[in-house]
Amino acid sequence: MPIGKLTFEDVALTVSVPEGTRIIEISEKVGAGITYGCREGECGTCLTRIVDGEGNLSDPSALELRVLKENLAGHNDRLACQCKVMGGDVTVRPG
Amino acid sequence: MAERITWIGALDPALRTFDVILKTANGTTYNAYVVRGSAGVAVIDTVKAPFTEEFLAKLEATARYDELTVLVLNHLEPDHTGAVAALLARAPHLQIYVSTRGLQVLRGLLKGAFERYDIRAVTTGDTVSLGDLTLRFLSTPYVHWPDTQCTFAEELGVLFTCDFLGCHYCDERLFNDAVGDFRFSFEYYFEHIMRPFRRYVVEALDLIEPLGAQMIAPGHGPILRATPEAYIQHYRRLANSRLAQATGGAKTLLIFYVSAYGATEQMAQAVCAGASEIEDVRVSLFDLQDGDVQPFVDLIEEADGLAFGTPTINGDAVRTVWDLLSSLVDIETKGKLGAAFGSFGWSGEAVAMVEARLQGLKMRVPEPGLRIKMYPGAEEEETCRAFGRSLAQHLTGQMAPREIDMTELLAAQG
């Protein structure tokens, strides 16, 4: 199974993760400052800046696209409760 | 109220507790307005639901429903949108103007009916014409919800700010130069509603100040027609009211502790000593045992990092720690560094509980909490110093990057 490397910039930590791991599965365990509200992709609380490796994340669903748009997200922002690491390196910090 | 503008709000003089968290000795008002142009009539905000009939009666005395063209919702909280459904039932043709971030709340408010209405998301720079009058929208997020915006009636020089620059004070004389003394209410409202968002308050002030508004018409409390600019200046003072720290560019770490037998205090001193070894970090140590926690809220607002030491008593952190942590709702803590440590005799749950609260306060908690059974020995004191050093290094950005595997992480979490 492809392995991705997910780096949380604000706590200076990289975690090796299997393909398909969502950021939400890891970020709280490492104490990163990404915070969650509904955890279902509706509220936009977990807006996260993708510092590097945007292409190594799963494509946003229609719901995520809508919530990103309504929260005036930048093109490097994603919802940490929704997107998955598909392999390769990804670096994130709280949005 | 002014040329072309009519107040159609409601007085709620009997209210004593607002939104659970706020007290008011004088009740409040829910201010809503009608703005009449040569080719269009706008309703700006509505009222809390129990006042719907009163609101509609005032509206009907001012305009016919078929004359109305625009509904502006500057903020979607229920005390300003309680009459939206009733208004739309009578005037379904209205163009509804709301901030982009307000869309999802409006969708929640209108449920299935959302798709039936003409809803337009706006941001700074967007305008709508009422013929000879123009409404200009200004996006002012987080004063105090993500959706908040202001609307400027350009030709009239009147700025509608909803909760921003408002207060809970009920007086039928409506205007700031006619009502009783509401200065306390104005500051109290800032402290409890706006202070956690003071960064955004300053941004919003920067955006609205150049408008040179002749009148500021908020969603609660007196309408500011006499020296409106003085209220903008006062908000600036309230947002930057503390004595500046003499730390220059150094990062600040505050260590708070409570100790039952001196063990957690010993840890706190070692954490403090370790953190103090790192240059460019100013470390302060505070015993919470006898303290009133409120003054510490001011310190925390300015600090870069916070560490809490607490023993575990009856499976919980001690009360003064919770008192302080629960007081932090009044300030912004997002992105600060947090940490927890403590001595324990049997179970030691307190440290993880405090860490969870720190994360709930949107802080980063990069170092796993430090728990020591009974008193720290020499080796454990060194562990405490290393913990302090790591916290300080995280603050200065000197922490060496670390790498772990997810399985290790999950195992460590047990």
Side-chain angles (χ1 to χ4, degrees):
Chain A
M1 183 184 285
I3 295 287
K5 286 193 174 182
L6 179 55
T7 300
F8 297 91
E9 206 177 59
D10 68 335
V11 293
L13 183 69
T14 301
V15 185
S16 308
V17 296
E19 176 188 352
T21 304
R22 290 177 198 266
I23 297 175
I24 190 175
E25 295 174 56
I26 306 294
S27 79
E28 290 169 303
K29 294 186 172 68
V30 300
I34 299 166
T35 48
Y36 299 89
C38 70
R39 296 171 181 268
E40 293 173 349
E42 275 281 353
C43 72
T45 304
C46 64
L47 201 66
T48 296
R49 175 62 46 89
I50 311 303
V51 180
D52 210 6
E54 200 187 345
N56 293 327
L57 293 170
S58 57
D59 291 334
S61 65
L63 171 69
E64 186 181 349
L65 282 174
R66 192 190 81 197
V67 173
L68 289 170
K69 182 164 172 266
E70 290 183 359
N71 283 284
L72 308 176
H75 68 279
N76 290 326
D77 292 331
R78 295 291 301 269
L79 298 181
C81 73
Q82 296 295 299
C83 63
K84 299 171 188 167
V85 178
M86 305 310 287
D89 294 352
V90 178
T91 302
V92 300
R93 65 175 154 86
Chain B
M1 171 185 137
E3 194 194 347
R4 320 282 283 277
I5 302 179
T6 310
W7 180 82
I8 55 166
L11 304 173
D12 190 358
L15 185 83
R16 290 294 173 268
T17 302
F18 184 87
D19 241 12
V20 190
I21 58 166
L22 284 181
K23 302 292 177 200
T24 166
N26 311 76
T28 193
T29 66
Y30 310 101
N31 298 333
Y33 306 90
V34 167
V35 180
R36 181 176 284 277
S38 62
V41 178
V43 174
I44 316 262
D45 295 321
T46 77
V47 298
K48 196 173 172 180
F51 300 89
T52 299
E53 279 186 33
E54 191 179 332
F55 164 82
L56 293 175
K58 288 197 184 88
L59 173 59
E60 287 163 16
T62 305
R64 295 191 319 274
Y65 288 112
D66 63 4
E67 284 183 304
L68 303 177
T69 53
V70 164
L71 171 62
V72 175
L73 299 173
N74 284 323
H75 174 34
L76 278 297
E77 205 169 357
D79 52 326
H80 305 287
T81 52
V84 167
L87 173 58
L88 290 178
R90 289 159 180 80
H93 62 280
L94 287 179
Q95 296 168 4
I96 304 170
Y97 290 85
V98 64
S99 71
T100 310
R101 284 190 177 94
L103 283 176
Q104 59 154 312
V105 190
L106 188 58
R107 194 179 288 115
L109 192 73
L110 298 175
K111 309 290 181 198
F114 179 85
E115 305 298 335
R116 286 212 293 275
Y117 296 114
D118 180 357
I119 296 167
R120 303 174 182 210
V122 287
T123 186
T124 302
D126 290 332
T127 59
V128 59
S129 172
L130 304 175
D132 59 345
L133 297 183
T134 312
L135 298 180
R136 176 172 293 280
F137 302 103
L138 298 111
S139 178
T140 52
Y142 296 101
V143 295
H144 62 122
W145 270 20
D147 66 322
T148 46
Q149 65 173 7
C150 295
T151 302
F152 189 48
E154 273 186 342
E155 293 79 1
L156 304 176
V158 177
L159 181 66
F160 300 94
T161 55
C162 206
D163 282 344
F164 197 54
L165 295 156
C167 66
H168 291 311
Y169 188 89
C170 182
D171 191 319
E172 61 189 13
R173 292 169 290 187
L174 290 185
F175 293 99
N176 64 326
D177 53 333
V179 300
D181 193 335
F182 68 102
R183 290 176 297 175
F184 163 79
S185 307
F186 187 80
E187 293 181 358
Y188 178 84
Y189 191 88
F190 177 91
E191 285 296 326
H192 292 277
I193 298 290
M194 297 297 160
R195 185 176 171 186
F197 306 100
R198 61 182 190 150
R199 183 157 56 94
Y200 296 98
V201 165
V202 173
E203 286 176 14
L205 293 173
D206 289 345
L207 192 64
I208 66 168
E209 191 167 19
L211 300 172
Q214 303 298 302
M215 189 185 294
I216 292 173
H220 296 291
I223 297 161
L224 311 172
R225 71 176 173 190
T227 63
E229 67 283 358
Y231 295 85
I232 291 178
Q233 291 314 321
H234 196 52
Y235 249 41
R236 286 202 190 277
R237 280 196 292 275
L238 292 170
N240 297 295
S241 60
R242 316 289 160 202
L243 181 64
Q245 290 227 65
T247 48
K251 298 290 182 183
T252 54
L253 174 65
L254 309 181
I255 302 172
F256 298 96
Y257 70 93
V258 177
S259 196
Y261 290 98
T264 299
E265 180 173 25
Q266 218 179 314
M267 292 179 74
Q269 283 167 347
V271 173
C272 181
S276 301
E277 290 171 25
I278 305 300
E279 257 184 63
D280 294 330
V281 177
R282 179 79 64 91
V283 190
S284 313
L285 185 64
F286 299 100
D287 183 351
L288 286 178
Q289 184 177 315
D290 296 317
D292 171 10
V293 298
Q294 203 54 41
F296 294 126
V297 176
D298 294 346
L299 298 187
I300 290 171
E301 188 171 32
E302 306 282 348
D304 299 301
L306 315 171
F308 289 88
T310 173
T312 297
I313 298 181
N314 288 343
D316 201 350
V318 297
R319 181 166 181 166
T320 44
V321 170
W322 286 131
D323 283 347
L324 179 52
L325 289 170
S326 68
S327 301
L328 301 185
V329 70
D330 283 338
I331 59 169
E332 182 175 16
T333 48
K334 182 179 163 77
K336 291 184 194 292
L337 176 133
F341 61 90
S343 156
F344 66 100
W346 295 101
S347 48
E349 295 94 331
V351 169
M353 288 174 165
V354 169
E355 286 182 291
R357 171 65 181 155
L358 296 175
Q359 288 192 291
L361 287 164
K362 303 183 168 59
M363 296 169 65
R364 58 193 170 112
V365 186
E367 289 298 313
L370 187 58
R371 306 183 318 150
I372 288 173
K373 194 169 173 76
M374 304 303 282
Y375 291 88
E379 205 171 299
E380 289 166 321
E381 278 212 14
E382 175 47 32
T383 307
C384 293
R385 278 192 293 274
F387 185 74
R389 278 194 297 273
S390 295
L391 297 180
Q393 285 168 329
H394 278 291
L395 282 176
T396 58
Q398 295 168 308
M399 194 64 193
R402 298 156 298 161
E403 193 168 328
I404 59 167
D405 191 77
M406 190 164 100
T407 49
E408 278 174 65
L409 179 69
L410 298 177
Q413 300 272 319

